[in-house]
Amino acid sequence: MASRKPNQKKSWPSSERRRDVMDYFVMQQDERYTDTPVLQNIRQKIDIRHMNRLRSHQIADTTIFQVKASTDTEYLDLLSNQLYLMSEKLKKLIAMYEPECIFKHIPLMDQFNKKQSLYFLPFFEEVEALSPSSEFNADRSVIKKLVLQGEKVAKKRIFRVQESEQPLIIVRLDVAESILRRDMIGVSLKKVLVE
Amino acid sequence: MSSVMSREEALGHFLEHHVFDRWQGDLDIISESYIQNQDTTIAEFVRSVDTACKKAAELQEAGVKGDIQYIYLSLLRTSLMEHKASYRIDIHDERWFLDPVECSSHWQADFIFDPLFQRMRELEAVKTSYARKISTMDIERILQIEAIRYHLFTIEFMRSMIPSILECEGYNQLVKKPNICILAGEYRDRSELLYGQPEAEPEEIMAEQ
């Protein structure tokens, strides 16, 4: 604590700009939960070519998925390992911040345990937000180091990074705080570098 | 704990025996640490508010910020995830959250939250006796729930700091609305008024109802 004091004082003018860019977070499923429902036959049911905002009308409003699950399987508020799905509780919160967001109904059916849970597939605004300092792997399919451009994301509350093949959803500080206040299960929020 | 316990039972037992009411013991630790470091603690807090105010005054001089009406002190739960108790101090003109010019500084309420973080670290050791029924993720959720008490202590500390805020240099440099308010709460959410008058006159409030 003592070492931070002089440093903070000295660095104030230069950190001014950075401080005033609001913090952003990657929102995804908390990987530490290992027993989550596994969706069956995704490719047969949803055409992934339509998995973007402009083509979302091609996807049915409701698509039922069978899932593999045990009695202890946890139905997290965010499932993002296969499709990017939100629970009703999380969807309601997101819709408050982003009323324009398009959602499709995705009921998950566990026939073995006779359990059904309603999830939502969101289609967020896509933003070309990556900074040139971001790093990709060799064929540019994976982002190894994520850096956002402050100018591109300013004032955006929730968006999808256009350059990423996999859904990469970013939320602003106010949305992240709101999620943490509501005791959501399995939502991981990791801070992103913004330039 | 016995492995025949269900997860819910285990969690209930864990909360009852290791979490509930434990915050009371932290009160002494907090007040002792405050007494020992009173001057530094106060100085650091006032300096953070002062920094934000001075920045706002500069923005006013540059003509991009209007007369200041709100000073908002808010807890950042995203910082709690990293075991830091960061409060954000935002200065807004009459447009409040719609004020497009961000102006903020940060202050760490470590002396209040450190005992909570310490307790959560101890729970990590305790959870091993629950046969993997209690996870680190559970403890992280408990932290966010327990944080509210420490946040309330912090608000009381901030309330006691009002006279020092009103005297600081930055605050006095600000061009202010006559009904300037100082509020404390969660980020862009529910807040408590620490100083000043709410914006509407009583007649106006009546008329709206």
Side-chain angles (χ1 to χ4, degrees), chain A residues 45 63 66 86 169 182:
Chain A
K45 296 203 166 186
T63 309
Q66 304 292 338
M86 296 175 156
I169 310 300
R182 284 170 174 80

Side-chain angles (χ1 to χ4, degrees), chain A residues 1 4-5 8 12 19-20 22 25 30 32-33 155 173-174 176-177 180-181 183 185 189, chain B residues 40 44 47 51 55 58 75-78 81 100 102 104 106 108 137 140-141 186-187 189:
Chain A
M1 213 156 149
R4 204 175 52 224
K5 265 188 283 166
Q8 210 175 39
W12 177 63
R19 279 281 189 213
D20 285 351
M22 230 192 242
F25 300 82
D30 188 331
R32 293 171 298 176
Y33 288 89
K155 312 292 172 205
L173 177 63
D174 45 351
E177 288 288 325
L180 289 175
R181 277 198 289 272
D183 190 28
I185 302 174
L189 296 158
Chain B
T40 346
E44 269 187 23
R47 197 187 62 219
T51 303
K55 231 195 251 191
E58 276 177 31
L75 166 69
L76 293 183
R77 287 179 175 267
T78 44
M81 294 192 308
E102 297 261 331
S104 66
H106 289 78
Q108 312 296 325
M137 295 82 90
E140 287 174 9
R141 288 171 63 203
E186 297 216 24
Y187 189 66
D189 197 77

Side-chain angles (χ1 to χ4, degrees), chain A residues 152-164:
Chain A
K152 297 274 179 72
V153 303
K155 312 292 172 205
K156 306 242 180 262
R157 296 190 185 106
I158 306 160
F159 60 91
R160 178 177 170 159
V161 175
Q162 204 176 57
E163 296 94 327
S164 169

Side-chain angles (χ1 to χ4, degrees), chain A residues 91-139:
Chain A
K91 178 250 179 186
K92 274 188 186 162
L93 170 71
I94 296 297
M96 277 196 309
Y97 284 93
E98 215 47 73
E100 302 291 309
C101 188
I102 300 163
F103 293 98
K104 304 284 177 177
H105 290 70
I106 310 284
L108 303 185
M109 304 255 290
D110 171 7
Q111 275 185 324
F112 187 74
N113 293 299
K114 304 217 178 330
K115 199 170 170 182
Q116 180 178 320
S117 319
L118 179 59
Y119 277 81
F120 293 84
L121 175 67
F123 292 88
F124 296 111
E125 179 188 355
E126 294 178 18
V127 179
E128 219 176 296
L130 286 194
S131 138
S133 355
S134 299
E135 286 166 21
F136 289 85
N137 68 340
D139 67 353

Side-chain angles (χ1 to χ4, degrees), chain B residues 59-70:
Chain B
L59 291 166
Q60 284 185 322
E61 262 178 48
V64 290
K65 214 165 180 71
D67 296 359
I68 301 307
Q69 192 168 352
Y70 302 96

